[in-house]
Amino acid sequence: MRFDMESLRIFVAVVEEGSIAAASVRTHLVASAVSKRVSDLESDAGTLLLYRHSRGVQATPAGEALYRHARRMIEHLQQIADELSEYSEGLRGHTRIYVNFTAMVQYLPGPLHSFLRANPEVRVDMVEKRSDEVVQAIASGIADLGLCSATPGTLGDLQWRPYSTDTLVLIVPPDHRLATRSSIEFAEALDDEFVSMQHGTSISKLCRAAAERSGKRLRVRIEVTSFEGVRNMVGAGLGLGVLPEDSVRPYLHSAPLRVVKLEDPWAMRPLLLLARNFETLPLPARMLVDHLEQARKRAS
């Protein structure tokens, strides 16, 4: 197949919008031109890429495969354009790091601030994603570096370095029956309702998997998008929560919370620094790796 980037952009728009008409508005083309581009792609591929129905369109399995690859190609091209424009404006370096929520709020603000202060000519783009999406971004080359909760056996050919250990704890209201316990197994708390991080986040996945292994279901009363949301809802007596210990301890003096340690092995999460190959990273990314590792050593 001979891929035309403009046709791929149009195809991505069609899949994401779910209709030819909506994609034509997004791409500023008439609907017939959009439809012709998609038909030409299907002809070149020798297979159907879209299911067409009265409510719009939906990607076929082949269309889904093309969409995933096309989306990555478009992101790569945008990164190239962004970096070249930065060089033309006098900026001498650029790196992109994908991180999970824990890394973003707990581990990176200070080190990133000191790195950029010491290296004002370098631009760092940080993108927050779920841990599995961080791994995918490194594998596909969208990002130079990743920092997330992962186990080495799930990383394939990616290289990794230990960065920290993230300890998860149970948080409960001060008048809860478990508030006087110093530690428990997670299964002991499963008769209660929980305030959970969003479905799909690594903490949510760990809690749900642990509940299933205990033969129970995690009873989620509320889903929130931040550690602060979990703390506030638990403090209001709306359920129990599971959070990294470092995200709770600083607030215990002012929040109506108690911390109970979890005895389960999964509560100790390794936080890993990821790259396709640390030795071949662009210079700005290597500089950032060195800075993060030195900052972590100083902190420990």
Side-chain angles (χ1 to χ4, degrees):
M1 291 184 63
R2 293 174 298 173
F3 292 108
D4 173 73
M5 284 308 303
E6 185 59 24
S7 293
L8 292 178
R9 289 181 191 275
I10 292 169
F11 180 74
V12 165
V14 171
V15 172
E16 292 181 346
E17 298 295 334
S19 79
I20 297 291
S24 70
V25 173
R26 171 170 158 178
T27 57
H28 307 290
L29 295 170
V30 296
S32 59
V34 173
S35 182
K36 177 68 163 55
R37 291 275 191 165
V38 173
S39 296
D40 288 345
L41 282 173
E42 290 179 320
S43 178
D44 287 345
T47 188
L48 196 66
L49 299 175
L50 295 175
Y51 295 123
R52 295 160 173 85
H53 47 74
S54 59
R55 298 182 304 279
V57 298
Q58 182 180 1
T60 65
E64 287 283 359
L66 178 61
Y67 168 77
R68 290 195 303 272
H69 290 296
R71 194 83 184 93
R72 285 199 292 266
M73 290 173 66
I74 291 168
E75 289 178 349
H76 278 305
L77 288 175
Q78 187 60 52
Q79 288 176 32
I80 292 171
D82 290 346
E83 290 191 33
L84 290 179
S85 68
E86 288 161 2
Y87 280 104
S88 70
E89 295 167 3
L91 190 67
R92 296 203 298 269
H94 177 209
T95 188
R96 177 171 296 207
I97 179 170
Y98 273 42
V99 302
N100 70 355
F101 185 78
T102 301
M104 180 184 71
V105 300
Q106 284 187 236
Y107 294 98
L108 288 182
L112 272 183
H113 180 266
S114 58
F115 176 78
L116 293 173
R117 185 174 56 193
N119 301 280
E121 76 284 0
V122 175
R123 171 178 165 181
V124 177
D125 288 341
M126 184 172 71
V127 181
E128 185 258 320
K129 294 285 186 180
R130 298 194 314 264
S131 289
D132 58 339
E133 293 175 323
V134 172
V135 173
Q136 292 170 8
I138 302 302
S140 63
I142 294 175
D144 299 312
L145 297 171
L147 185 60
C148 66
S149 301
T151 54
T154 65
L155 299 178
D157 294 331
L158 297 184
Q159 294 184 4
W160 59 272
R161 295 179 182 178
Y163 188 75
S164 184
T165 299
D166 198 30
T167 304
L168 297 179
V169 295
L170 183 74
I171 58 173
V172 304
D175 58 352
H176 191 271
R177 61 183 175 83
L178 297 174
T180 58
R181 298 281 298 275
S182 60
S183 66
I184 64 168
E185 291 187 352
F186 186 63
E188 296 181 63
L190 288 175
D191 290 333
D192 287 80
E193 293 183 318
F194 277 77
V195 179
S196 173
M197 292 293 292
Q198 275 182 310
H199 188 80
T201 58
S202 57
I203 293 178
S204 173
K205 286 181 176 179
L206 285 169
C207 291
R208 292 174 191 274
E212 289 179 6
R213 287 194 297 271
S214 299
K216 296 183 179 181
R217 180 178 60 86
L218 188 70
R219 299 169 59 199
V220 176
R221 186 177 189 184
I222 302 172
E223 280 192 0
V224 297
T225 59
S226 68
F227 293 167
E228 181 183 16
V230 176
R231 292 193 302 265
N232 289 344
M233 294 299 102
V234 173
L238 297 175
L240 311 186
V242 174
L243 286 180
E245 185 173 17
D246 289 344
S247 74
V248 181
R249 291 290 180 191
Y251 301 92
L252 290 180
H253 69 284
S254 59
L257 300 171
R258 295 292 183 270
V259 168
V260 182
K261 292 186 177 181
L262 291 171
E263 300 169 359
D264 309 74
W266 58 264
M268 302 291 287
R269 300 191 304 168
L271 199 67
L272 305 181
L273 194 60
L274 309 179
R276 290 180 299 283
N277 188 323
F278 284 101
E279 299 301 321
T280 60
L281 283 171
L283 179 59
R286 294 203 304 273
M287 292 166 58
L288 179 58
V289 169
D290 291 342
H291 187 87
L292 290 176
E293 292 182 332
Q294 290 169 9
R296 195 63 197 153
K297 289 177 182 177
R298 288 194 296 270
S300 59

